Amino acid sequence: MSECACGGDKNKLIYCCSGASDVGEISDKVARKLSALCFGKMTCLAGIGASLSGFVESAKAIEENITIDGCSVACAKKSLEKIGAKVKSYILTDMGLTKGQTPPRDIIVEDIVSKIMGGKK
Ligand code: SF4
């Protein structure tokens, strides 16, 4: 799990799909950057997928679960919704990225991070 000096905003958990595609890779980089900037605390989507009680209970108890998905299949969003957790969803292909045509460059990651931190979709 990614940590920063302040531990992140304790009222927000950040999940990314970490998919195999380019946009999936970008989702992972964006989540790590947001966590490093203390926008929230990155945690593990796999813990939700595996139905591990600690992860599931944390997701249900938190004020805001932020999901960052590479594409509109929305694996992270659906995983959280499936357990009844509250979700604020960001889908990178809805934010202007094209799956299969977007190399995971730093400038793209920074742009998405800025949009999310600025509250834009
Ligand atoms: S949301 Fe899209 S990119 Fe992410 S894991 Fe699912 S199918 Fe792959």
Side-chain angles (χ1 to χ4, degrees), residues 17 19 21 23-24 69-71 73-75 99:
C17 75
S21 65
V23 288
D69 282 301
C71 75
V73 177
C75 298
K99 190 174 185 179

Side-chain angles (χ1 to χ4, degrees), residues 34-89:
L34 287 169
S35 194
L37 292 170
C38 303
F39 186 69
K41 188 170 177 58
M42 185 179 177
T43 185
C44 306
L45 183 64
I48 302 294
S51 301
L52 300 179
S53 60
F55 288 91
V56 170
E57 293 312 313
S58 293
K60 285 182 173 177
I62 203 82
E63 275 179 28
E64 191 166 60
N65 293 285
I66 297 170
T67 57
I68 305 165
D69 282 301
C71 75
S72 59
V73 177
C75 298
K77 175 178 183 270
K78 288 173 185 168
S79 295
L80 271 290
E81 286 178 344
K82 192 174 171 186
I83 61 164
K86 286 174 280 186
V87 177
K88 183 166 180 60
S89 163

Side-chain angles (χ1 to χ4, degrees), residues 20-24 26 70-71 93 96-105 108:
S21 65
D22 50 7
V23 288
I26 292 168
C71 75
T93 50
L97 305 190
T98 302
K99 190 174 185 179
Q101 296 178 39
T102 309
R105 294 197 185 105
I108 294 170

Side-chain angles (χ1 to χ4, degrees), residues 1 6 19 25 44 46 52-53 66 90 101 114 118 121:
M1 189 178 294
C6 72
E25 182 174 349
C44 306
L52 300 179
S53 60
I66 297 170
Y90 294 91
Q101 296 178 39
S114 301
K121 281 203 179 187

